[in-house]
Amino acid sequence: MSQRQPPKVDGGKISRRDFLKLLAAAGTVMTFTPFVEWGKFLPNPRESNEERSKVVLPDGSQANVNTFKVNHAEAVVYPLSEDPVLNEEAFRTWQFIRLPPELGGEKNDATAFRMYSMVCLHLWCLWKYWPEDGRKRGECPCHGSMYDPLTGEAFAGPASLQAPPSNVLPSLDLEVDDEGNIWIKPPNWSPSGNGVVGYGRFLA
Amino acid sequence: MGVSSLSRDNSLVRLFKWIYAGFDRTIFMGLKFTIPTKFVSPLGFLGMLTFVVFIILGITGAFLMLWYEPILDRAWDSVEKINDTIPYGFHMRNIHYHASNAMVMLAILHMYYQFFSGRYKIRNEMLWVTGVLLGVLTILEAFTGYDIIFSERAELAISIAASLTNSIPILGPDMMNAFFGSGFHDFVLRFYAFHVFFLPIVLLGLMVVHFPRFLVFDVPMVMAVAGAIMLTGGVFPIDLGLKFDPNVPPGITVPEWYLTGLYAFLRSAFDKFTTGVAWPGLFIFTLLIMPFIDKYKKFSWKDRPIISALGITSIAQIIVTTYWGFYIDPDRTKSLLERLMIDPIFLYTVMVLLVPLSFGFTYLMIKIAKNAEANAKKQKPSEKNPIQLPAKWLYILFVALIGFQVYLNIAAYYAVLDGMKNYSLFLIGILMLVFAGMFHLYRYGRGLSKSNVEIVTTNKRKFIFPSIGGSKRKSLEDRSTSMDPSKIGPTEDNPLLSSTEKKDIPVPEIGTHKGGKSSPMYSKDTSPTDTRNADIDLPENSVSKTKINKQSQTSNLDQNVRSFPYDKLNDGQKRDDAFVETTRDGDKSTPVR
């Protein structure tokens, strides 16, 4: 080791041999760059179809503005799969809420509805909406995190102590057609978009 | 190796020898592989033990793969089936679980031993760096393992791991997508893939780099470790935990012991990235660069105060946080969050306080050790007092152990028949431990009977003791006239003894009973006039002189000599460093793992 010569200092000139070596190294790197894209094999692309999909209630019907009760919530599976096992997946369960009257739940448009991921941002239990007077909020049974139904932001419990984006529930954008049926718009699964299930969302 | 008709070997031995010779062209011959014929401290080959446990894990894991189903709704049920209904599934699972703990534990011990003995420097950097990576991967392997049971605890662990991964800036979310997929269904499947293939294959690859050239396979110690694993499995059979149900609040669970340290930091509710990624990352990084910042020329922990103090600090912090992670306020009137929360100021103050405390402790230890060393040098004839085990008792103990093992065999057989699963595991564990003890005793006795040697040469000392064999007296008489204790003097400090003396075998120190009289053990320092020996009964002709029997017959050259070149050891090295071999060019070479 001690025999190793110190590098020659020759005014920063690069020898022909070194230059060729550099080219070879660069070429090697370039050869493999197309395969970087193959890293996309790893993540599971969430089925985010370009089309809107129905809000299918537990009884199998599509949610409708005219029939869905005010200050009421249901668990909805999205994206709905053919496989019943996958439909049991906590990450596919969403709380579909029609807001209470004081928060504007009586309007017959999409603004009266909210759809949040039911996976609590703290430790992934399933929270749910409690419509009783004095509650009217999402509560997690595990460690008592509470969620504001209007924004999906945690305002109490351990989830509220987490740094953004892990204090706001992911939500889905809804739209209502002429017949009053409610649809889910194609989501953008990123923290700044619709959020990441189990991780959170940035409040716009 | 030619098979001679004069050979006393039977055909089976010849076959093995032929096969062994066939390995001459393989990579295995590049390794110096030793099966010690006498007891050696297991600290020197903890790495090999870790590897053996890894193999145990591989075998039991492969069997578990036959029944485990990495599917969201069936993972836990399949583990339950393995545990409860499949014959010997309980055993497989328990051995697998406890071996995983043993592997992490052995890896940590191995690391700290190498750290404090200073063997990680000077051309061993690559071994150290790969070793640290292996340790991290081992913990990841164990972590993915207990996650795929998909119990409540597993779900909590996964959710914490996912949120930590997500908290990494820039790369975090992509990594989380890659490693965890989306949703529990992906997690189970992916963690399974990581657990059974990705991580083990990387571990194996790193092991190839990590293997030093000198390996020790100590049969009794391997048996003892395997036995201890099963014993633990018998005493503490691992439970399944509750099946994860997102609608049911999980009880309070803590992660496995090797992660509770991290868990304590997480419970301080500080920023996730700092507590869960940056601190452990810093810890691992510090370990990685350790051999490059350790500029001490010497190896012993006593001669490297700062590095030793750093090691002690890390151990203290690991112990404190590990305990803290387990501790949950038992006051049930408080809210769950209050009970789980650790005050960050408190935690970090303690962590910082541990640093000066550890440095002070190390300073004290070094001082004490150096004092003891100096004292030992001053009072030169510090008689080493070995355990004296007469041959008669050796045989009695041996027979008793065999009897005990037979009894345990029968007991284990009936326990298995009765379906007392953990009891049988317990017994198998004891069986293996007893076998380990027996093997050790056998080896011990064999070492004695094979060598009618009265002088044992290590690098520094000579021990003179009688052998069991009948030739002993004769040889003593033969030598008594020709050798004088004063002649030992010049040779003993010279590591390169005369060629015949070099062949002497380091046999265990032992005295034997001879007609009710115990023969003494002579240390090299025993002078003829030493009054301390006067009260010991000696054969008349040997009272005045230290007897040396240099056996120069080749029969004496058994494996001991070839395996353990004690005589070649450097002067500066301690006895426990006996594994560090001196190569031809005099460089300190790679020690045994």
Side-chain angles (χ1 to χ4, degrees):
Chain A
M1 291 206 189
S2 54
Q3 302 99 310
R4 198 173 278 173
Q5 299 287 325
K8 279 179 200 159
V9 185
D10 49 2
K13 267 185 198 166
I14 191 163
S15 73
R16 185 188 309 238
R17 180 178 296 245
D18 281 351
F19 178 70
L20 287 174
K21 275 184 189 166
L22 202 68
L23 279 188
T28 313
V29 170
M30 303 277 262
T31 310
F32 288 101
T33 39
F35 293 97
V36 171
E37 183 70 3
W38 288 42
K40 282 187 180 167
F41 176 80
L42 287 174
N44 183 355
R46 276 189 154 275
E47 300 100 297
S48 50
N49 39 359
E50 294 301 307
E51 293 166 23
R52 60 183 189 176
S53 49
K54 292 176 184 175
V55 176
V56 183
L57 296 177
D59 60 7
S61 64
Q62 187 177 7
N64 192 292
V65 181
N66 303 316
T67 55
F68 203 84
K69 280 182 277 178
V70 175
N71 192 21
H72 180 68
E74 292 284 356
V76 169
V77 179
Y78 177 83
L80 198 60
S81 156
E82 301 289 309
D83 184 348
V85 173
L86 287 181
N87 287 342
E88 281 172 28
E89 164 82 79
F91 275 57
R92 291 177 189 248
T93 41
W94 298 75
Q95 193 76 346
F96 180 67
I97 308 169
R98 184 156 194 178
L99 295 171
E102 60 269 30
L103 295 176
E106 281 169 335
K107 279 188 213 162
N108 265 6
D109 57 18
T111 59
F113 294 88
R114 293 289 185 276
M115 200 162 171
Y116 299 119
S117 165
M118 274 177 78
V119 178
C120 176
L121 296 171
H122 178 224
L123 283 174
W124 296 357
C125 292
L126 295 186
W127 64 273
K128 76 181 223 199
Y129 178 73
W130 293 86
E132 286 87 348
D133 277 335
R135 288 174 98 169
K136 291 184 179 167
R137 62 197 178 202
E139 289 181 14
C140 176
C142 292
H143 304 97
S145 297
M146 295 184 192
Y147 295 97
D148 180 359
L150 202 59
T151 56
E153 186 177 5
F155 62 87
S160 68
L161 299 174
Q162 298 185 141
S166 289
N167 61 348
V168 182
L169 289 166
S171 78
L172 291 171
D173 299 327
L174 304 168
E175 65 182 20
V176 180
D177 64 13
D178 300 339
E179 292 158 28
N181 288 327
I182 305 171
W183 298 82
I184 301 167
K185 288 196 217 166
N188 162 22
W189 300 117
S190 73
S192 47
N194 289 81
V196 176
V197 178
Y199 178 56
R201 170 173 62 103
F202 286 112
L203 264 188
Chain B
M1 150 182 340
V3 181
S4 140
S5 59
L6 292 170
S7 164
R8 282 176 300 151
D9 299 336
N10 61 33
S11 51
L12 197 64
V13 172
R14 287 211 304 274
L15 174 68
F16 282 131
K17 282 187 173 172
W18 181 80
I19 291 171
Y20 181 77
F23 279 110
D24 203 31
R25 285 294 182 89
T26 64
I27 192 168
F28 298 108
M29 288 299 109
L31 303 167
K32 190 171 163 56
F33 196 77
T34 312
I35 295 180
T37 47
K38 72 184 276 282
F39 177 76
V40 280
S41 165
L43 291 174
F45 55 90
L46 282 169
M48 191 47 161
L49 292 179
T50 315
F51 178 69
V52 168
V53 175
F54 176 77
I55 295 298
I56 294 175
L57 283 165
I59 293 167
T60 51
F63 281 115
L64 290 174
M65 277 170 75
L66 300 178
W67 295 103
Y68 175 75
E69 298 172 75
I71 301 162
L72 177 68
D73 60 331
R74 298 217 288 237
W76 189 86
D77 299 281
S78 67
V79 178
E80 192 192 30
K81 193 180 166 199
I82 290 170
N83 203 56
D84 294 348
T85 53
I86 291 163
Y88 297 102
F90 174 89
H91 298 75
M92 286 292 168
R93 186 171 116 76
N94 266 275
I95 295 170
H96 195 70
Y97 170 79
H98 287 286
S100 78
N101 282 339
M103 185 175 169
V104 176
M105 182 54 105
L106 285 170
I108 291 171
L109 289 178
H110 175 49
M111 185 191 82
Y112 273 113
Y113 181 66
Q114 303 298 321
F115 181 89
F116 284 114
S117 63
R119 291 180 184 173
Y120 60 103
K121 335 189 268 184
I122 319 289
R123 306 221 316 234
N124 285 339
E125 290 91 349
M126 190 51 85
L127 297 192
W128 173 261
V129 169
T130 49
V132 171
L133 293 177
L134 277 169
V136 174
L137 289 176
T138 303
I139 288 179
L140 278 181
E141 175 75 6
F143 175 75
T144 50
Y146 86 78
D147 283 349
I148 55 176
I149 298 169
F150 212 51
S151 59
E152 275 181 358
R153 181 164 81 154
E155 187 274 336
L156 290 173
I158 296 175
S159 71
I160 289 173
S163 68
L164 289 183
T165 316
N166 235 329
S167 70
I168 297 170
I170 304 165
L171 284 176
D174 285 337
M175 281 168 70
M176 143 101 183
N177 268 336
F179 294 143
F180 295 77
S182 55
F184 288 120
H185 185 263
D186 283 9
F187 295 167
V188 179
L189 191 52
R190 282 178 187 225
F191 271 40
Y192 177 67
F194 289 132
H195 183 70
V196 303
F197 190 78
F198 284 81
L199 287 169
I201 214 80
V202 176
L203 278 170
L204 277 172
L206 281 172
M207 274 174 197
V208 171
V209 185
H210 186 72
F211 266 147
R213 279 177 297 158
F214 306 105
L215 298 171
V216 173
F217 188 87
D218 187 41
V219 177
M221 199 43 82
V222 166
M223 270 314 212
V225 167
I229 288 168
M230 297 201 194
L231 194 72
T232 327
V235 180
F236 307 105
I238 178 65
D239 58 348
L240 274 165
L242 295 168
K243 186 178 183 176
F244 169 64
D245 178 350
N247 293 302
V248 177
I252 297 180
T253 47
V254 286
E256 286 290 345
W257 59 272
Y258 37 82
L259 291 171
T260 46
L262 182 56
Y263 187 52
F265 278 103
L266 286 173
R267 277 169 56 188
S268 69
F270 215 64
D271 170 51
K272 265 183 189 160
F273 177 72
T274 317
T275 52
V277 183
W279 288 144
L282 186 72
F283 186 82
I284 294 162
F285 179 74
T286 315
L287 284 178
L288 277 175
I289 60 166
M290 221 56 202
F292 309 103
I293 57 175
D294 182 353
K295 288 292 171 204
Y296 290 104
K297 289 278 183 287
K298 290 188 175 169
F299 288 88
S300 168
W301 62 275
K302 283 172 258 172
D303 301 318
R304 302 179 296 141
I306 305 276
I307 298 296
S308 296
L310 279 177
I312 296 286
T313 311
S314 71
I315 291 179
Q317 290 184 338
I318 287 172
I319 290 173
V320 167
T321 49
T322 298
Y323 178 74
W324 214 329
F326 273 117
Y327 177 78
I328 287 164
D329 194 344
D331 185 0
R332 287 187 173 274
T333 54
K334 289 183 190 167
S335 76
L336 189 62
L337 203 63
E338 243 178 301
R339 289 167 66 198
L340 279 176
M341 178 88 171
I342 292 174
D343 184 4
I345 297 170
F346 188 25
L347 177 69
Y348 284 97
T349 313
V350 170
M351 287 297 102
V352 171
L353 269 179
L354 280 176
V355 177
L357 277 176
S358 305
F359 272 75
F361 175 76
T362 316
Y363 178 74
L364 200 72
M365 287 306 290
I366 289 176
K367 198 136 204 207
I368 289 171
K370 293 229 156 151
N371 256 339
E373 230 170 47
N375 282 346
K377 254 176 208 165
K378 235 180 273 167
Q379 313 162 355
K380 194 65 199 192
S382 56
E383 188 97 11
K384 193 166 183 285
N385 200 10
I387 306 161
Q388 303 223 349
L389 194 63
K392 195 169 74 182
W393 287 106
L394 193 72
Y395 291 130
I396 291 172
L397 197 59
F398 193 67
V399 170
L401 275 175
I402 291 179
F404 189 48
Q405 186 158 27
V406 168
Y407 163 73
L408 284 174
N409 267 305
I410 297 165
Y413 178 69
Y414 280 106
V416 172
L417 282 190
D418 291 350
M420 292 167 74
K421 291 168 174 174
N422 58 336
Y423 185 54
S424 61
L425 204 56
F426 174 77
L427 284 176
I428 296 168
I430 293 192
L431 256 161
M432 296 183 84
L433 282 174
V434 169
F435 176 81
M438 234 166 61
F439 195 106
H440 174 65
L441 277 178
Y442 166 74
R443 190 170 61 177
Y444 187 82
R446 192 163 152 272
L448 281 179
S449 61
K450 261 206 164 182
S451 53
N452 313 340
V453 201
E454 271 72 36
I455 179 166
V456 172
T457 310
T458 64
N459 56 333
K460 292 210 126 187
R461 310 155 201 231
K462 287 190 176 71
F463 298 102
I464 301 156
F465 50 85
S467 69
I468 293 175
S471 65
K472 175 230 151 212
R473 175 68 71 86
K474 205 177 92 199
S475 58
L476 269 180
E477 280 166 357
D478 289 342
R479 287 293 160 188
S480 61
T481 49
S482 60
M483 280 301 277
D484 191 76
S486 62
K487 284 186 182 158
I488 311 172
T491 50
E492 69 192 7
D493 290 327
N494 182 3
L496 297 168
L497 297 166
S498 69
S499 61
T500 45
E501 207 165 327
K502 212 171 165 182
K503 309 273 164 61
D504 284 335
I505 304 164
V507 276
E509 299 137 15
I510 192 165
T512 53
H513 270 275
K514 235 168 56 271
K517 292 178 182 179
S518 65
S519 301
M521 216 67 137
Y522 294 102
S523 81
K524 62 165 181 178
D525 304 303
T526 311
S527 68
T529 53
D530 197 331
T531 48
R532 283 178 303 112
N533 283 331
D535 57 336
I536 303 170
D537 282 328
L538 288 174
E540 276 301 311
N541 57 353
S542 63
V543 171
S544 60
K545 278 170 186 166
T546 306
K547 307 301 182 297
I548 297 155
N549 177 22
K550 284 192 297 170
Q551 288 251 330
S552 50
Q553 292 98 321
T554 43
S555 67
N556 228 354
L557 304 168
D558 76 352
Q559 301 93 310
N560 261 330
V561 175
R562 272 172 260 144
S563 321
F564 290 99
Y566 289 104
D567 47 325
K568 285 196 263 168
L569 288 178
N570 277 349
D571 215 329
Q573 263 154 288
K574 301 285 173 285
R575 257 173 81 86
D576 66 334
D577 278 7
F579 284 124
V580 182
E581 208 194 38
T582 314
T583 50
R584 252 165 274 136
D585 53 356
D587 266 359
K588 192 155 299 120
S589 190
T590 315
V592 178
R593 311 193 317 137

